[in-house]
Amino acid sequence: MRPTEPLPLNHSWPLYALRDHLAPVMLDDRIAGDDGALAERGLGLWHCDLSDDSLNWTDGVYDIFGLERGMTVPRPLAVSLYTPESRAAMEQLRAYAIRHRRGFTVDVDIRPADGGECAMRLIAAPIIQRNQVVALHGVKQFLPRGSRPSTGLDPTPFILS
């Protein structure tokens, strides 16, 4: 946790900019389509159905949150793992994204279920059907200590050695 630093908060962005915010994941189809390759790079894809707040995560998100891969995660459990300041920022941006049909990027601090603390970059965008926001989806990226705030994904994990 970074108690003396202000939480880096990156305001919302229009949906037409989604590709710009997700570009690093889309650079290499082998990575974007491979759950294991994403997880190895500290990345995970996620989806939240707004009709019942059900979550669907790839392995990388389970790893970031320190939860058993494949388990059903109720949204209240996932939200409880955010630090209070990060939870408030995420919830505020989430509500704005749903209300105004915009994406957002925010760096948050979480306390994984398996212990410790870490930072995570959350990129989210609404899914719209029949002029209604029905879901949110996006990418979560583990951030090593000391990472600098950003409005996009760090492309470094995508460099294959």
mmCIF file with all atom_site columns, all heavy atoms in Angstrom, residues 18-33:
data_model
loop_
_atom_site.group_PDB
_atom_site.id
_atom_site.type_symbol
_atom_site.label_atom_id
_atom_site.label_alt_id
_atom_site.label_comp_id
_atom_site.label_asym_id
_atom_site.label_entity_id
_atom_site.label_seq_id
_atom_site.pdbx_PDB_ins_code
_atom_site.Cartn_x
_atom_site.Cartn_y
_atom_site.Cartn_z
_atom_site.occupancy
_atom_site.B_iso_or_equiv
_atom_site.pdbx_formal_charge
_atom_site.auth_seq_id
_atom_site.auth_comp_id
_atom_site.auth_asym_id
_atom_site.auth_atom_id
_atom_site.pdbx_PDB_model_num
ATOM 1   N N   . LEU A 1 18 ? -11.257 2.577   -26.985 1.00 0.00 ? 18 LEU A N   1
ATOM 2   C CA  . LEU A 1 18 ? -11.014 1.268   -26.371 1.00 0.00 ? 18 LEU A CA  1
ATOM 3   C C   . LEU A 1 18 ? -9.796  0.567   -26.961 1.00 0.00 ? 18 LEU A C   1
ATOM 4   O O   . LEU A 1 18 ? -8.949  0.060   -26.234 1.00 0.00 ? 18 LEU A O   1
ATOM 5   C CB  . LEU A 1 18 ? -12.252 0.379   -26.507 1.00 0.00 ? 18 LEU A CB  1
ATOM 6   C CG  . LEU A 1 18 ? -12.122 -1.052  -25.979 1.00 0.00 ? 18 LEU A CG  1
ATOM 7   C CD1 . LEU A 1 18 ? -11.852 -1.064  -24.485 1.00 0.00 ? 18 LEU A CD1 1
ATOM 8   C CD2 . LEU A 1 18 ? -13.383 -1.847  -26.300 1.00 0.00 ? 18 LEU A CD2 1
ATOM 9   N N   . ARG A 1 19 ? -9.693  0.542   -28.270 1.00 0.00 ? 19 ARG A N   1
ATOM 10  C CA  . ARG A 1 19 ? -8.555  -0.144  -28.901 1.00 0.00 ? 19 ARG A CA  1
ATOM 11  C C   . ARG A 1 19 ? -7.228  0.458   -28.457 1.00 0.00 ? 19 ARG A C   1
ATOM 12  O O   . ARG A 1 19 ? -6.253  -0.263  -28.269 1.00 0.00 ? 19 ARG A O   1
ATOM 13  C CB  . ARG A 1 19 ? -8.686  -0.130  -30.420 1.00 0.00 ? 19 ARG A CB  1
ATOM 14  C CG  . ARG A 1 19 ? -9.850  -1.000  -30.912 1.00 0.00 ? 19 ARG A CG  1
ATOM 15  C CD  . ARG A 1 19 ? -9.879  -1.080  -32.429 1.00 0.00 ? 19 ARG A CD  1
ATOM 16  N NE  . ARG A 1 19 ? -8.788  -1.860  -32.977 1.00 0.00 ? 19 ARG A NE  1
ATOM 17  C CZ  . ARG A 1 19 ? -8.754  -3.191  -33.032 1.00 0.00 ? 19 ARG A CZ  1
ATOM 18  N NH1 . ARG A 1 19 ? -9.751  -3.884  -32.544 1.00 0.00 ? 19 ARG A NH1 1
ATOM 19  N NH2 . ARG A 1 19 ? -7.732  -3.805  -33.568 1.00 0.00 ? 19 ARG A NH2 1
ATOM 20  N N   . ASP A 1 20 ? -7.191  1.765   -28.266 1.00 0.00 ? 20 ASP A N   1
ATOM 21  C CA  . ASP A 1 20 ? -5.963  2.416   -27.799 1.00 0.00 ? 20 ASP A CA  1
ATOM 22  C C   . ASP A 1 20 ? -5.588  1.922   -26.396 1.00 0.00 ? 20 ASP A C   1
ATOM 23  O O   . ASP A 1 20 ? -4.420  1.701   -26.095 1.00 0.00 ? 20 ASP A O   1
ATOM 24  C CB  . ASP A 1 20 ? -6.123  3.934   -27.757 1.00 0.00 ? 20 ASP A CB  1
ATOM 25  C CG  . ASP A 1 20 ? -6.326  4.537   -29.133 1.00 0.00 ? 20 ASP A CG  1
ATOM 26  O OD1 . ASP A 1 20 ? -5.913  3.909   -30.136 1.00 0.00 ? 20 ASP A OD1 1
ATOM 27  O OD2 . ASP A 1 20 ? -6.905  5.631   -29.203 1.00 0.00 ? 20 ASP A OD2 1
ATOM 28  N N   . HIS A 1 21 ? -6.576  1.751   -25.536 1.00 0.00 ? 21 HIS A N   1
ATOM 29  C CA  . HIS A 1 21 ? -6.315  1.348   -24.156 1.00 0.00 ? 21 HIS A CA  1
ATOM 30  C C   . HIS A 1 21 ? -5.973  -0.139  -24.034 1.00 0.00 ? 21 HIS A C   1
ATOM 31  O O   . HIS A 1 21 ? -5.311  -0.552  -23.094 1.00 0.00 ? 21 HIS A O   1
ATOM 32  C CB  . HIS A 1 21 ? -7.500  1.699   -23.264 1.00 0.00 ? 21 HIS A CB  1
ATOM 33  C CG  . HIS A 1 21 ? -7.634  3.175   -23.075 1.00 0.00 ? 21 HIS A CG  1
ATOM 34  N ND1 . HIS A 1 21 ? -6.981  3.854   -22.072 1.00 0.00 ? 21 HIS A ND1 1
ATOM 35  C CD2 . HIS A 1 21 ? -8.295  4.113   -23.786 1.00 0.00 ? 21 HIS A CD2 1
ATOM 36  C CE1 . HIS A 1 21 ? -7.246  5.135   -22.170 1.00 0.00 ? 21 HIS A CE1 1
ATOM 37  N NE2 . HIS A 1 21 ? -8.047  5.322   -23.193 1.00 0.00 ? 21 HIS A NE2 1
ATOM 38  N N   . LEU A 1 22 ? -6.436  -0.921  -24.984 1.00 0.00 ? 22 LEU A N   1
ATOM 39  C CA  . LEU A 1 22 ? -6.160  -2.361  -24.950 1.00 0.00 ? 22 LEU A CA  1
ATOM 40  C C   . LEU A 1 22 ? -5.115  -2.790  -25.976 1.00 0.00 ? 22 LEU A C   1
ATOM 41  O O   . LEU A 1 22 ? -4.827  -3.975  -26.097 1.00 0.00 ? 22 LEU A O   1
ATOM 42  C CB  . LEU A 1 22 ? -7.456  -3.155  -25.188 1.00 0.00 ? 22 LEU A CB  1
ATOM 43  C CG  . LEU A 1 22 ? -8.540  -2.959  -24.138 1.00 0.00 ? 22 LEU A CG  1
ATOM 44  C CD1 . LEU A 1 22 ? -9.775  -3.762  -24.512 1.00 0.00 ? 22 LEU A CD1 1
ATOM 45  C CD2 . LEU A 1 22 ? -8.061  -3.347  -22.756 1.00 0.00 ? 22 LEU A CD2 1
ATOM 46  N N   . ALA A 1 23 ? -4.531  -1.851  -26.689 1.00 0.00 ? 23 ALA A N   1
ATOM 47  C CA  . ALA A 1 23 ? -3.608  -2.167  -27.781 1.00 0.00 ? 23 ALA A CA  1
ATOM 48  C C   . ALA A 1 23 ? -2.505  -3.158  -27.408 1.00 0.00 ? 23 ALA A C   1
ATOM 49  O O   . ALA A 1 23 ? -2.237  -4.075  -28.182 1.00 0.00 ? 23 ALA A O   1
ATOM 50  C CB  . ALA A 1 23 ? -3.010  -0.892  -28.358 1.00 0.00 ? 23 ALA A CB  1
ATOM 51  N N   . PRO A 1 24 ? -1.863  -3.032  -26.244 1.00 0.00 ? 24 PRO A N   1
ATOM 52  C CA  . PRO A 1 24 ? -0.795  -3.995  -25.951 1.00 0.00 ? 24 PRO A CA  1
ATOM 53  C C   . PRO A 1 24 ? -1.266  -5.442  -25.922 1.00 0.00 ? 24 PRO A C   1
ATOM 54  O O   . PRO A 1 24 ? -0.540  -6.338  -26.303 1.00 0.00 ? 24 PRO A O   1
ATOM 55  C CB  . PRO A 1 24 ? -0.276  -3.543  -24.583 1.00 0.00 ? 24 PRO A CB  1
ATOM 56  C CG  . PRO A 1 24 ? -0.598  -2.093  -24.529 1.00 0.00 ? 24 PRO A CG  1
ATOM 57  C CD  . PRO A 1 24 ? -1.926  -1.971  -25.250 1.00 0.00 ? 24 PRO A CD  1
ATOM 58  N N   . VAL A 1 25 ? -2.466  -5.699  -25.449 1.00 0.00 ? 25 VAL A N   1
ATOM 59  C CA  . VAL A 1 25 ? -2.985  -7.061  -25.417 1.00 0.00 ? 25 VAL A CA  1
ATOM 60  C C   . VAL A 1 25 ? -3.260  -7.546  -26.833 1.00 0.00 ? 25 VAL A C   1
ATOM 61  O O   . VAL A 1 25 ? -3.096  -8.713  -27.141 1.00 0.00 ? 25 VAL A O   1
ATOM 62  C CB  . VAL A 1 25 ? -4.278  -7.136  -24.579 1.00 0.00 ? 25 VAL A CB  1
ATOM 63  C CG1 . VAL A 1 25 ? -4.890  -8.519  -24.633 1.00 0.00 ? 25 VAL A CG1 1
ATOM 64  C CG2 . VAL A 1 25 ? -3.990  -6.753  -23.141 1.00 0.00 ? 25 VAL A CG2 1
ATOM 65  N N   . MET A 1 26 ? -3.650  -6.635  -27.696 1.00 0.00 ? 26 MET A N   1
ATOM 66  C CA  . MET A 1 26 ? -4.031  -7.012  -29.048 1.00 0.00 ? 26 MET A CA  1
ATOM 67  C C   . MET A 1 26 ? -2.833  -7.086  -29.996 1.00 0.00 ? 26 MET A C   1
ATOM 68  O O   . MET A 1 26 ? -2.986  -7.461  -31.138 1.00 0.00 ? 26 MET A O   1
ATOM 69  C CB  . MET A 1 26 ? -5.064  -6.015  -29.578 1.00 0.00 ? 26 MET A CB  1
ATOM 70  C CG  . MET A 1 26 ? -6.342  -6.088  -28.759 1.00 0.00 ? 26 MET A CG  1
ATOM 71  S SD  . MET A 1 26 ? -7.559  -4.766  -28.983 1.00 0.00 ? 26 MET A SD  1
ATOM 72  C CE  . MET A 1 26 ? -7.251  -4.096  -30.543 1.00 0.00 ? 26 MET A CE  1
ATOM 73  N N   . LEU A 1 27 ? -1.646  -6.762  -29.522 1.00 0.00 ? 27 LEU A N   1
ATOM 74  C CA  . LEU A 1 27 ? -0.468  -6.786  -30.383 1.00 0.00 ? 27 LEU A CA  1
ATOM 75  C C   . LEU A 1 27 ? -0.156  -8.186  -30.904 1.00 0.00 ? 27 LEU A C   1
ATOM 76  O O   . LEU A 1 27 ? 0.289   -8.353  -32.013 1.00 0.00 ? 27 LEU A O   1
ATOM 77  C CB  . LEU A 1 27 ? 0.757   -6.270  -29.629 1.00 0.00 ? 27 LEU A CB  1
ATOM 78  C CG  . LEU A 1 27 ? 0.805   -4.770  -29.396 1.00 0.00 ? 27 LEU A CG  1
ATOM 79  C CD1 . LEU A 1 27 ? 2.038   -4.425  -28.577 1.00 0.00 ? 27 LEU A CD1 1
ATOM 80  C CD2 . LEU A 1 27 ? 0.781   -4.010  -30.702 1.00 0.00 ? 27 LEU A CD2 1
ATOM 81  N N   . ASP A 1 28 ? -0.372  -9.173  -30.101 1.00 0.00 ? 28 ASP A N   1
ATOM 82  C CA  . ASP A 1 28 ? 0.011   -10.528 -30.457 1.00 0.00 ? 28 ASP A CA  1
ATOM 83  C C   . ASP A 1 28 ? -1.155  -11.466 -30.146 1.00 0.00 ? 28 ASP A C   1
ATOM 84  O O   . ASP A 1 28 ? -1.472  -11.701 -28.984 1.00 0.00 ? 28 ASP A O   1
ATOM 85  C CB  . ASP A 1 28 ? 1.251   -10.935 -29.654 1.00 0.00 ? 28 ASP A CB  1
ATOM 86  C CG  . ASP A 1 28 ? 1.814   -12.269 -30.068 1.00 0.00 ? 28 ASP A CG  1
ATOM 87  O OD1 . ASP A 1 28 ? 1.067   -13.119 -30.606 1.00 0.00 ? 28 ASP A OD1 1
ATOM 88  O OD2 . ASP A 1 28 ? 3.013   -12.482 -29.838 1.00 0.00 ? 28 ASP A OD2 1
ATOM 89  N N   . ASP A 1 29 ? -1.800  -11.981 -31.175 1.00 0.00 ? 29 ASP A N   1
ATOM 90  C CA  . ASP A 1 29 ? -2.959  -12.858 -30.988 1.00 0.00 ? 29 ASP A CA  1
ATOM 91  C C   . ASP A 1 29 ? -2.623  -14.091 -30.166 1.00 0.00 ? 29 ASP A C   1
ATOM 92  O O   . ASP A 1 29 ? -3.479  -14.628 -29.469 1.00 0.00 ? 29 ASP A O   1
ATOM 93  C CB  . ASP A 1 29 ? -3.543  -13.291 -32.335 1.00 0.00 ? 29 ASP A CB  1
ATOM 94  C CG  . ASP A 1 29 ? -4.250  -12.152 -33.043 1.00 0.00 ? 29 ASP A CG  1
ATOM 95  O OD1 . ASP A 1 29 ? -4.641  -11.187 -32.365 1.00 0.00 ? 29 ASP A OD1 1
ATOM 96  O OD2 . ASP A 1 29 ? -4.411  -12.237 -34.274 1.00 0.00 ? 29 ASP A OD2 1
ATOM 97  N N   . ARG A 1 30 ? -1.373  -14.560 -30.228 1.00 0.00 ? 30 ARG A N   1
ATOM 98  C CA  . ARG A 1 30 ? -0.981  -15.732 -29.444 1.00 0.00 ? 30 ARG A CA  1
ATOM 99  C C   . ARG A 1 30 ? -1.094  -15.445 -27.954 1.00 0.00 ? 30 ARG A C   1
ATOM 100 O O   . ARG A 1 30 ? -1.455  -16.314 -27.175 1.00 0.00 ? 30 ARG A O   1
ATOM 101 C CB  . ARG A 1 30 ? 0.443   -16.157 -29.766 1.00 0.00 ? 30 ARG A CB  1
ATOM 102 C CG  . ARG A 1 30 ? 0.614   -16.708 -31.184 1.00 0.00 ? 30 ARG A CG  1
ATOM 103 C CD  . ARG A 1 30 ? 2.072   -16.916 -31.504 1.00 0.00 ? 30 ARG A CD  1
ATOM 104 N NE  . ARG A 1 30 ? 2.750   -15.616 -31.424 1.00 0.00 ? 30 ARG A NE  1
ATOM 105 C CZ  . ARG A 1 30 ? 4.011   -15.443 -31.090 1.00 0.00 ? 30 ARG A CZ  1
ATOM 106 N NH1 . ARG A 1 30 ? 4.769   -16.465 -30.801 1.00 0.00 ? 30 ARG A NH1 1
ATOM 107 N NH2 . ARG A 1 30 ? 4.536   -14.247 -31.048 1.00 0.00 ? 30 ARG A NH2 1
ATOM 108 N N   . ILE A 1 31 ? -0.803  -14.212 -27.560 1.00 0.00 ? 31 ILE A N   1
ATOM 109 C CA  . ILE A 1 31 ? -0.889  -13.844 -26.151 1.00 0.00 ? 31 ILE A CA  1
ATOM 110 C C   . ILE A 1 31 ? -2.335  -13.556 -25.773 1.00 0.00 ? 31 ILE A C   1
ATOM 111 O O   . ILE A 1 31 ? -2.847  -14.077 -24.788 1.00 0.00 ? 31 ILE A O   1
ATOM 112 C CB  . ILE A 1 31 ? -0.002  -12.620 -25.847 1.00 0.00 ? 31 ILE A CB  1
ATOM 113 C CG1 . ILE A 1 31 ? 1.470   -12.992 -26.024 1.00 0.00 ? 31 ILE A CG1 1
ATOM 114 C CG2 . ILE A 1 31 ? -0.256  -12.112 -24.433 1.00 0.00 ? 31 ILE A CG2 1
ATOM 115 C CD1 . ILE A 1 31 ? 2.418   -11.827 -25.943 1.00 0.00 ? 31 ILE A CD1 1
ATOM 116 N N   . ALA A 1 32 ? -3.012  -12.738 -26.561 1.00 0.00 ? 32 ALA A N   1
ATOM 117 C CA  . ALA A 1 32 ? -4.374  -12.333 -26.230 1.00 0.00 ? 32 ALA A CA  1
ATOM 118 C C   . ALA A 1 32 ? -5.319  -13.523 -26.153 1.00 0.00 ? 32 ALA A C   1
ATOM 119 O O   . ALA A 1 32 ? -6.268  -13.520 -25.374 1.00 0.00 ? 32 ALA A O   1
ATOM 120 C CB  . ALA A 1 32 ? -4.883  -11.324 -27.248 1.00 0.00 ? 32 ALA A CB  1
ATOM 121 N N   . GLY A 1 33 ? -5.073  -14.556 -26.936 1.00 0.00 ? 33 GLY A N   1
ATOM 122 C CA  . GLY A 1 33 ? -5.945  -15.719 -26.939 1.00 0.00 ? 33 GLY A CA  1
ATOM 123 C C   . GLY A 1 33 ? -5.475  -16.860 -26.059 1.00 0.00 ? 33 GLY A C   1
ATOM 124 O O   . GLY A 1 33 ? -6.087  -17.918 -26.051 1.00 0.00 ? 33 GLY A O   1
#
